[in-house]
Amino acid sequence: MKYRKKPVEVEAIQWTGNTIEIKNFCGDKCSYDVNDSAWRVGKGIPHEELVIHTLEGDMKVSRNDYIIKGVNDEFYPCKPDIFEKTYEISSDTVNYNNIYEKAINTYGENAQLDMVIEEMSELIKEICKKKRGKDNHDAITEEIADVEIMLEQLKIICDIDNVDLDNAKKYKIDRLMARLEVHDKNE
């Protein structure tokens, strides 16, 4: 059998030698030791060792390793190459709503409503080209992105919250499923 990792967001920090930043992140679940005897005699930088206290025991962390806070508030280290293959920056890292609100405040609601219409019409134009046989995958992708950005602004302008929107989607999807069941029975 094959298994896929469930999409779970985690918090992580890369250890670059900043003690305070790591302590603030891990609290008492890590230890930071400095053997500064070489430093005191002028022979270079102190030897640093970071230890994460995991459920499986203590694990040493090398500089530039990532420290991940898991779903049960546990901490564990991860090598940079593994981290980059396994994780990507969450869209929640950037607060897009702040950008959308700034756009609305900068250009005005009416201008942004016009942009919603314009971006949707550009998507419609690309869909029509697709129906005529044009290979315009990239153009459709770009126009969907533009429409989604403008729809997020439309939700702000019209004061539509995600709970109401999710409920409306659920109703529409349930209705579609019922129609599909009727369609399947009639075939």
Side-chain angles (χ1 to χ4, degrees), residues 37-54:
S37 59
W39 179 259
R40 277 187 263 132
V41 295
K43 294 187 178 179
I45 62 170
H47 171 71
E48 303 165 334
E49 181 175 274
L50 181 65
V51 176
I52 300 293
H53 311 297
T54 72

Side-chain angles (χ1 to χ4, degrees), residues 140-152:
I140 289 176
T141 301
E142 186 176 324
E143 295 307 332
I144 289 172
D146 287 341
V147 168
E148 286 186 357
I149 290 168
M150 294 314 301
L151 288 176
E152 291 298 321

Side-chain angles (χ1 to χ4, degrees), residues 10 29-30 34 54 62 105 139 145-146 151 159 167 173:
V10 296
K29 302 216 173 146
C30 72
V34 176
T54 72
S62 300
N105 291 333
D146 287 341
L151 288 176
D159 195 28
N167 288 337
I173 290 170

